[in-house]
Amino acid sequence: MVIYWIIYIWAMFFSFMYKNNTKKSVIQTKNGVYEKQIYSVIYVLITLFALWFFVGFRTGGVGDTANYIYRYRITPTTFEFPSFSSTYLMEFLRRFFKAFVSTNPTVWLLFVATITVIPLAAGLAEFSIDLGVSISFYILSGCFEYFFNGARQLIAIAICFYAAKYLVREKVVHYVILVGVASLFHPSSLVMLSAIVLYKIKPWSNYTTVIIAFCVVLLLLPKSFTADLVTDATAGTSYSAYGRSLQTNGANPVRSVVMVIPTVLSYLFREKIKELDDPILNFSVNMSLVNSLLYVFAIFYNALVVTRIAAYFIVFLMVLYPYLFNYVLPKGSKYFKGLFYIFFLIYFIYQMYFIYGGLPYRSTTLGIRA
């Protein structure tokens, strides 16, 4: 566990060091032009360095690390183009890397960590107005675990997160192309095409009421009926088996409640959000709403299936929380921010020590077994 504390302390130290090192960015949309403060990508990368370092040098202990290493070791050293599949880019990169770059699995894991961190950092540089809050949520909520368990999907999530900048700039074609690239790492990223609609919807409008009502109806229907809908929708894909597995329960309710909190706050202060009418804030509220609905579903349905989809939406809470603290919550929000840090530190301890029993970390390269 000490490694994960080091990752967080490193990130906090540099996020506070660079707190005032932002620059103005002008964003043009069809609705007008507005300015916002953004971080340098380099500063964000330095903040995430410890996470990148320990992810890249891991050799076991958590998640599917052993599987990533095994698959790399059995990859031929003679390059051949892979047959087209839903994971084509990942297969191509692994074969190319093994044939032309290095046969060492650690070098491969460092590369995978790099192509994940860069778009994630670029997205944070673009959207976050308080890096400390954003990084705290990402690490203390447990989202960082995707680096260790689900790395292939996290590449897709990071690309989609960065691609959202093109939605804000009304460049939908650019956005669709990047989502298409992400889908060749993990096909579940196609769910992010829904963001094209979610970006256009005003928070807490009649449209969001319809979305909530639809989800309530699905929850009231028999599980078998909902499972059949998912099975039919995913027929012929690698996710066709997910329909039946949906009928098994369920996510930890505590985690689901934690994920719903920012949506509740945005609802309570919805008039202020409507008054601000900031495109990024509006979009983040809608993404938070979808994430919340998915986590409510995760209580009653298979958590793994639902939360894998929610992972694409949860990263936008890194954007929403800073906006809530800086623009939405009443004056004196520093107290809200203080409560935020305390709450998520307690949640981090609860999750890592009591739910997971402590996440081990192994690195034979670094000589670490913690």
Side-chain angles (χ1 to χ4, degrees):
M1 280 297 298
V2 66
I3 296 300
Y4 306 114
W5 284 112
I6 290 173
I7 288 172
Y8 179 63
I9 292 169
W10 174 285
M12 284 301 94
F13 175 81
F14 284 100
S15 65
F16 285 118
M17 177 180 289
Y18 297 135
K19 184 174 179 62
N20 298 317
N21 291 323
T22 59
K23 58 183 179 180
K24 286 187 177 181
S25 173
V26 177
I27 298 177
Q28 293 184 335
T29 72
K30 291 181 180 178
N31 298 323
V33 178
Y34 70 100
E35 290 185 347
K36 68 182 293 290
Q37 298 293 112
I38 65 172
Y39 287 90
S40 163
V41 176
I42 298 299
Y43 292 156
V44 184
L45 286 171
I46 293 172
T47 302
L48 294 174
F49 174 79
L51 178 60
W52 170 85
F53 180 83
F54 287 112
V55 166
F57 281 101
R58 76 194 190 277
T59 55
V62 64
D64 52 10
T65 299
N67 182 53
Y68 271 83
I69 292 174
Y70 170 74
R71 288 180 65 84
Y72 192 72
R73 282 177 174 162
I74 64 172
T75 299
T77 54
T78 302
F79 178 75
E80 291 183 6
F81 282 97
S83 57
F84 187 80
S85 68
S86 59
T87 61
Y88 181 82
L89 272 181
M90 196 66 174
E91 294 291 330
F92 173 84
L93 287 174
R94 186 171 63 242
R95 295 186 185 200
F96 183 90
F97 208 85
K98 181 72 176 284
F100 300 111
V101 180
S102 175
T103 59
N104 187 337
T106 296
V107 180
W108 165 244
L109 290 178
L110 282 166
F111 173 74
V112 171
T114 301
I115 62 175
T116 306
V117 164
I118 289 175
L120 185 67
L124 281 170
E126 180 72 22
F127 295 122
S128 179
I129 58 173
D130 190 326
L131 192 57
V133 170
S134 297
I135 296 294
S136 287
F137 171 78
Y138 189 73
I139 295 177
L140 299 180
S141 69
C143 291
F144 78 98
E145 293 172 43
Y146 270 88
F147 271 98
F148 299 89
N149 187 24
R152 180 167 59 88
Q153 185 184 5
L154 185 57
I155 296 172
I157 293 169
I159 292 172
C160 291
F161 181 56
Y162 169 73
K165 67 177 283 185
Y166 293 107
L167 279 183
V168 175
R169 287 166 168 75
E170 306 286 349
K171 296 179 179 179
V172 177
V173 173
H174 294 68
Y175 176 77
V176 171
I177 290 172
L178 284 177
V179 171
V181 170
S183 72
L184 294 177
F185 284 100
H186 206 280
S188 60
S189 62
L190 292 175
V191 72
M192 283 300 287
L193 292 176
S194 65
I196 298 172
V197 176
L198 292 170
Y199 175 71
K200 296 292 185 181
I201 295 175
K202 296 293 184 181
W204 306 115
S205 63
N206 291 333
Y207 293 105
T208 54
T209 303
V210 171
I211 293 172
I212 294 171
F214 175 73
C215 290
V216 170
V217 170
L218 284 181
L219 280 173
L220 294 175
L221 291 172
K223 284 187 179 181
S224 58
F225 181 82
T226 305
D228 287 339
L229 288 178
V230 175
T231 301
D232 292 341
T234 57
T237 72
S238 58
Y239 293 88
S240 57
Y242 276 18
R244 292 305 170 190
S245 64
L246 271 177
Q247 297 185 62
T248 59
N249 292 342
N252 182 342
V254 174
R255 182 167 178 80
S256 295
V257 169
V258 169
M259 295 305 162
V260 169
I261 289 174
T263 299
V264 172
L265 288 174
S266 67
Y267 177 77
L268 293 175
F269 295 96
R270 60 192 181 280
E271 295 304 323
K272 179 65 174 179
I273 290 172
K274 290 177 181 177
E275 177 186 327
L276 291 169
D277 197 25
D278 182 278
I280 296 175
L281 173 59
N282 291 344
F283 182 49
S284 300
V285 170
N286 287 336
M287 299 298 272
S288 174
L289 172 62
V290 174
N291 179 68
S292 297
L293 293 171
L294 287 169
Y295 265 94
V296 171
F297 267 91
I299 298 174
F300 303 99
Y301 293 89
N302 183 283
L304 177 62
V305 175
V306 179
T307 56
R308 275 195 174 272
I309 301 302
Y312 290 94
F313 299 89
I314 195 174
V315 289
F316 287 90
L317 299 190
M318 292 192 290
V319 181
L320 178 57
Y321 267 118
Y323 269 88
L324 290 176
F325 293 140
N326 285 274
Y327 297 125
V328 177
L329 296 178
K331 289 183 178 180
S333 62
K334 62 182 179 181
Y335 299 111
F336 289 102
K337 191 180 296 186
L339 288 173
F340 165 87
Y341 283 115
I342 293 170
F343 174 82
F344 272 103
L345 279 168
I346 293 172
Y347 178 69
F348 182 73
I349 293 169
Y350 161 77
Q351 182 175 235
M352 303 297 275
Y353 289 94
F354 294 95
I355 300 300
Y356 298 146
L359 282 179
Y361 179 87
R362 306 284 186 271
S363 174
T364 55
T365 306
L366 300 175
I368 296 175
R369 187 180 180 88

